[in-house]
Amino acid sequence: MHSTKKISPLLLYMMLMLSIGISNHVLLIPVLLETAKRDAWAGVTAAILPMIVWVGVLHVIIRKVGHRHMGEWLRQHYGKAARLILIVLAVVYFSVTSFISLADTVMWTNVTYLPRTPKLVISLIFMLVCFFAARAGIRAIAITSGLLLPGVVLLGYFVASANLQYKDYSLLAPLFTHGYAPAAKAMAYTSGGLFELVLILFMGHHVSSAFRTRSLIVLAIILVGLTVGPVTGSIALFGPFEAADQRYPAFEQWRMVTLGKFVSHLDFFSIYQWISGSFIRVSLMLFLIPDVLGMKKRRSRSFLLAGLSAGLVGVTMLPISDVVLLYFLSNWYFPGISVLNIVFGLLLLVLSLLPAARRKEKA
């Protein structure tokens, strides 16, 4: 691929911050609070340790694979069977992630600020934008991330500081009143979500320069911070039990914001944050499906993306209640995605360290 069509590591990190950040804000936080209550923030903070280990695993793989397409690297060194297994797992991963992000965004939109708009209309419009972004390519998605992320970050600091007057951080203690199991579960859920950094391995061939380990560690710390902040804020604002009962704790924090006595109802700013993250996440997952399949013809990619987009809209129209979706997130999605991320990372680590692989690379 021509270098002008590649992206810098910084743009890739910004794209991952929006994609993983929206997942942790919207999907993960309700699960953490429901699972661990007050201990959730301790479990999230402890997740920094496995994240640093995970960065070390990714560093070893990146050094072996370089900027080559992951599927092609596997095919060259381990044959078509290894490549096929990777492709099947990756396509399932990207498809399920796209559906979960779309379904939750449509449900939230319909419940909060567009209650009279049919879900089909919301889903169609959102997926149409994501389709064109995925069709335009990773550079377009990355540049859009660079434009959207500063606003998302500034609004995050704004809502956190504006609600300081209502927060009581003494509610963060005492910890471990029900043992260490709830915090351990919160750490496992958080680590599984943050292990999505494995996506870097599927996008290395689109990056113009080498990844630095220090940059990856900083990114991991930032992503943990993006989860700790809303969790502690929700507990300090609403208490551990009220926060656990809320479906969208991050959104509820916006509903508390006021500027003086006469300016309130600033929760519309949350729409910008939520839609920005969901748009980047769904667009990126859509783009990665034909990319991991190795499809190079623009026409074929467009047909596949159109089919995927239509399929996602169709599945979103199924009569899935919010209770069922939350149950699926807690009991299937996050445990499953954790296992899949670990399988990806460890499998590729083993393959990159095998002596047979080294001999073939020298040949």
Side-chain angles (χ1 to χ4, degrees):
M1 185 177 290
H2 198 272
S3 60
T4 57
K5 293 184 179 181
K6 293 192 175 185
I7 61 175
S8 67
L10 178 60
L11 280 178
L12 176 62
Y13 299 152
M14 295 176 80
M15 190 164 53
L16 289 174
M17 283 176 64
L18 273 174
S19 176
I20 300 176
I22 191 64
S23 174
N24 290 0
H25 265 68
V26 174
L27 302 176
L28 182 60
I29 288 177
V31 175
L32 293 174
L33 290 171
E34 184 183 32
T35 302
K37 304 295 189 296
R38 198 193 314 270
D39 295 339
W41 73 270
V44 174
T45 305
I48 191 64
L49 299 176
M51 277 303 298
I52 292 176
V53 174
W54 192 244
V55 168
V57 171
L58 296 180
H59 171 72
V60 173
I61 301 171
I62 290 170
R63 286 189 61 184
K64 297 298 296 184
V65 178
H67 290 288
R68 287 171 286 184
H69 188 285
M70 182 58 67
E72 288 303 307
W73 179 80
L74 282 174
R75 185 185 62 80
Q76 291 172 6
H77 296 289
Y78 299 101
K80 294 181 179 180
R83 177 178 177 270
L84 181 61
I85 293 172
L86 175 81
I87 287 176
V88 171
L89 291 175
V91 169
V92 171
Y93 181 1
F94 302 148
S95 300
V96 172
T97 301
S98 301
F99 163 68
I100 291 296
S101 299
L102 175 64
D104 202 62
T105 300
V106 171
M107 192 169 294
W108 172 75
T109 301
N110 191 249
V111 168
T112 54
Y113 63 93
L114 290 178
R116 296 187 179 181
T117 304
K119 288 185 178 181
L120 178 61
V121 175
I122 300 171
S123 184
L124 274 175
I125 294 174
F126 185 79
M127 282 308 304
L128 189 64
V129 178
C130 292
F131 163 76
F132 282 112
R135 185 171 177 269
I138 194 170
R139 184 173 174 82
I141 300 172
I143 292 173
T144 305
S145 300
L147 296 174
L148 294 175
L149 184 61
V152 171
V153 172
L154 288 175
L155 287 174
Y157 281 115
F158 170 68
V159 68
S161 58
N163 282 331
L164 281 175
Q165 56 184 321
Y166 307 118
K167 292 180 180 179
D168 179 7
Y169 282 100
S170 66
L171 294 172
L172 298 178
L175 291 173
F176 313 126
T177 55
H178 293 85
Y180 297 103
K185 287 182 181 179
M187 183 181 71
Y189 278 131
T190 305
S191 300
L194 295 175
F195 282 177
E196 258 189 44
L197 279 180
V198 77
L199 291 175
I200 288 176
L201 303 177
F202 294 93
M203 295 184 281
H205 58 292
H206 292 293
V207 179
S208 58
S209 57
F211 296 108
R212 295 184 178 180
T213 306
R214 284 179 298 178
S215 301
L216 292 175
I217 293 175
V218 170
L219 177 61
I221 294 172
I222 290 173
L223 291 173
V224 172
L226 287 175
T227 311
V228 172
V231 169
T232 55
S234 295
I235 297 172
L237 266 176
F238 308 110
F241 301 102
E242 175 63 27
D245 289 337
Q246 294 172 352
R247 180 62 180 88
Y248 303 110
F251 176 69
E252 297 301 331
Q253 291 184 48
W254 269 105
R255 301 185 73 172
M256 298 286 292
V257 176
T258 58
L259 295 178
K261 295 182 179 179
F262 306 107
V263 180
S264 60
H265 298 292
L266 297 173
D267 47 304
F268 64 88
F269 282 124
S270 66
I271 299 173
Y272 171 81
Q273 289 184 303
W274 195 310
I275 297 300
S276 295
S278 295
F279 161 69
I280 295 299
R281 186 170 178 80
V282 175
S283 300
L284 179 61
M285 295 301 160
L286 280 180
F287 167 81
L288 286 174
I289 292 175
D291 190 66
V292 77
L293 290 170
M295 299 176 67
K296 297 181 179 179
K297 293 184 179 180
R298 186 177 181 84
R299 183 182 178 87
S300 301
R301 293 172 69 96
S302 297
F303 276 123
L304 178 59
L305 289 173
L308 289 169
S309 301
L312 287 173
V313 171
V315 175
T316 308
M317 292 303 101
L318 294 175
I320 301 173
S321 68
D322 190 54
V323 175
V324 172
L325 182 61
L326 186 59
Y327 176 84
F328 178 76
L329 289 174
S330 302
N331 295 279
W332 292 97
Y333 176 72
F334 280 111
I337 216 73
S338 302
V339 171
L340 200 52
N341 284 328
I342 292 171
V343 167
F344 273 134
L346 296 184
L347 181 62
L348 292 172
L349 176 66
V350 170
L351 291 177
S352 65
L353 294 177
L354 282 178
R358 289 199 292 267
R359 285 198 300 268
K360 290 184 179 182
E361 286 172 355
K362 291 178 181 179

